[in-house]
Amino acid sequence: MQVIIDKDVCVACGACVLSGPDVFDQNEDGQAILVVDEPGESLRDQILESIEACPVQALSLVEHAVATAE
């Protein structure tokens, strides 16, 4: 899974950091940044809570398809 932060939409409110402190932080301008490049399944709940908490919908989650051997 991959977390996307739309920097053009982020208003630097910090809701993502409060909801997902193991996933998100803020840069010097207050905008959201990831503290983990590839979050594992154990962080899914924090990511989903942060996505829901974002007042401007600047966060999204992309699921990666699992390749199967034929």
Side-chain angles (χ1 to χ4, degrees):
M1 88 181 113
Q2 180 182 5
V3 179
I4 306 295
I5 302 170
D6 188 337
K7 299 286 188 181
D8 294 330
V9 175
C10 179
V11 294
C13 74
C16 58
V17 179
L18 294 174
S19 301
D22 296 327
V23 182
F24 299 97
D25 200 353
Q26 291 175 285
N27 66 15
E28 60 278 351
D29 296 325
Q31 285 200 309
I33 58 171
L34 291 172
V35 295
V36 290
D37 291 329
E38 295 182 24
E41 190 63 33
S42 64
L43 296 174
R44 179 179 292 276
D45 287 343
Q46 285 189 42
I47 294 166
L48 294 175
E49 286 180 36
S50 295
I51 289 170
E52 187 157 326
C54 182
V56 293
Q57 301 172 347
L59 307 174
S60 58
L61 179 64
V62 177
E63 301 286 349
H64 295 292
V66 177
T68 57
E70 293 184 33

